[in-house]
Amino acid sequence: MFTLTSLAPQPVRARGSESLAAFAAGAVIPVGDTPQGIALTPAGSRAYVANRGSNTVSVIDTATDTVTATIPTGAGPVFVAISPDGARAYVTVFDDGLLSVIDTATNTIVEDITVGVGALVVALTPDGTRAYVTRQTTNTVTVIDTATSTVTATVTVGDGPTGVAITPDGTRAYVACLIPNQVSVIDTATNTVAASIGVGTTPILLAITPDGARVYVTNVEDSTLSVIDTATNTVTSTIGTSAQPRFPAVSPDGSHVYVANAGPGTVSVIGATTNTIAENIAVGDDPTCIVFFPDGTRAYLTDAAAGTVNVMATTVIPDQGSTGGRTTVTLTGHHLANATAVHFGAAPAGVTANTDTSLTVTSPAGSGAAPVTVTTPGGTGLLGYFSYRPLPALTGISPAAGPVAGSDKEIVITGRNLAGVIDVHFGPTRAVIQSVSDTQVTVRAAQAPAPGAVAVTVTTPGGSADGLSYTYLSPSTVTNVSPGTGPTTGGTEVTITGTDLAYTDTVTFNGIQAPFTVISDTTLTATSPPSGAEGTVPVTVTGPGGTPAGSFTYISEPVI
C-alpha cells in the first residue's frame, strides 16, 4: 500500500499510483475457462482459481493482479482451499473424483487423493490437519488426514451436499444439502451429524462469520440467504437476494456479507447487523465465488461466463447513494484513527464513528462520481469513489397480473434511473430481481399473502419510486361451457363461465386457439374452431391465474 514518508501513517489509498478511474473500476484478470472457486494465501499475496472448463488452476499475483502460473489438473476442478501456513492448495476435481494437492512453492501438483466422482467443495480445519470434501453425487462428506493424505472417515449427511464451511474453533463443519433443504452439522471430534437445520429451498453454499457466531446459507431456488445462529443451530433470519445466489463471503471485520448473484450479474452487500441489503453492485456475467483480501479493502470475484476474475474495491460501502446525501457509509482502510476530515469530492461528510480501520460517515449532497478522501494527522488518502444516483421513476409493467401463488414468468418494469436497484416490492411481498439496466428491471413475483391489486415499489440507491400496480389473482376456474355441443365445422359461439377470468390470455379447443372476448371476471365468449373429428374435447382457458378447463362435444352435420 502507498504510504507517506512522514512518521505518522497515512490513510490507505488506491494501490500504487493507479488513477482514480482505474481504482473505481477495479482490475479484470483473464484466467481459464469457467472459473469457479477462488482462494487467497493467508497473507493475500496470491490467489488460486479453479477453472472448471479448461481443467487448470490459475495463480494470480495480487500485487500486480496478473496470472503468473497455470497448473494443469484432472477433469473438472471446482474449488480451492489453502492450508493455514500457505504451503499447500487443495483443489477438488469433480469429474475425476480427486482432491489434488498443490505445492505453492513450485505451483505443481504433488499428490492426487481419491475421493470419488462428485468431489465439489473442500474446507480445512483451522489447524490444517484435516480436509472435509463434499460429494454432491452422494450423500456423504469425505474426511482426509492432510499429513498422510488418506481418507479417515466418510460422514453421511443429507442428499446432495454442496457447500461446506468449518467454524473458527474447528469443532463443527456445516454442510449445505440440496435435496432435503437443510444444513447438516458435523461434530468434527466424532465425525457424526450432530444436528440438521431446515433452511430455504435448495441450499447450495455457505460462509461463517469470523467469530463463528453465524452461518450464512444461499438458497438458490427461492433466492434467499438463511442466517443460522451457531449457538442454537436455528435460523434467525431470512434475507431476500437476487436470482441464482452463489457463494456468500463475510468481510474480515464481520460487518458485511457479500453474495454473488449469477442471474442479474450482481453482488449483494448485506449489513450483518441489520440483515438488509445496502447495495447491489453490477459485476460480470455469472459471478460465482468471492473472497476478501485479508485487510478487507478489496475482494476477488470469479466471473464464470467471461473467464475472468474481477477485483472489487470494498473500502466504500455502499459506494452509491442519493444526490440529496444522508446515506450512511462505512469506510475501510488502515491508519484511520483520529480522522480530522472526510470529503466526498469537495464536500465534507459527517463522521459518526472512528477506529483505526473503519469510519462511519454520512454522505453529503452531491452528483456524479466523487472521490472519497480521509484526512488524519498523517496526511490525506483516497479510499475510493462514491456515485450519486438520481431518483428513479417508473413508466410501465408487463404483465401487470399474475397468480397469488407466484410465478417463474418474467415481469418487466420499465422506467428511468433504475441501475443498482436494491429491492422491488409488490405490496409487502419482495420480488426476485432477475436482470437490471438503467431503464428496465426484470423480476419474478413471489407468493403473496392474498389476491388483489398492490402497489409496485422500486428502491435504488437514489431513492424509491412507485405509481404502478400489480394484481395478484386467485386460481381461475371454469364452471360451465354453454352450449356444450356444436358442429365439427366450428363457428359455435359458446359462453364460458367461471371465476377470475378477466386476465385470460388464450382459449383453446383441444389445443387449437379460439377467438374470445372477455365479458367480465366471470364470463367469456369464444367461437369454436373447426375439428377434424367428432367427440368431446377439452376447452382450456389460460391466464396468469391458472389454466382451468371445461369440455365441448363436436358433432358431425347430417348428410344424405
Side-chain angles (χ1 to χ4, degrees), residues 116-138:
V117 174
L120 192 63
V121 176
V122 57
L124 299 175
T125 53
D127 61 7
T129 60
R130 284 171 293 170
Y132 285 72
V133 182
T134 57
R135 287 188 61 198
Q136 193 180 54
T137 54
T138 70

Side-chain angles (χ1 to χ4, degrees), residues 163-165 174-176 183 197 199-200 203-219 224-230 234-239 241 245-251 253-259 268-276:
V164 58
Y174 286 76
V175 182
V183 170
I197 308 165
V199 288
I204 183 170
L205 299 159
L206 32 73
I208 300 179
T209 54
D211 62 4
R214 295 182 302 281
V215 177
Y216 293 92
V217 186
T218 52
N219 305 301
T224 61
L225 185 72
S226 296
V227 185
I228 296 173
D229 182 334
T230 59
T234 57
V235 173
T236 58
S237 183
T238 300
I239 306 165
T241 66
R246 294 295 190 259
F247 279 92
V250 183
S251 60
D253 64 2
S255 63
H256 293 91
V257 184
Y258 283 52
V259 179
S268 293
V269 182
I270 298 167
T273 57
T274 63
N275 285 335
T276 58

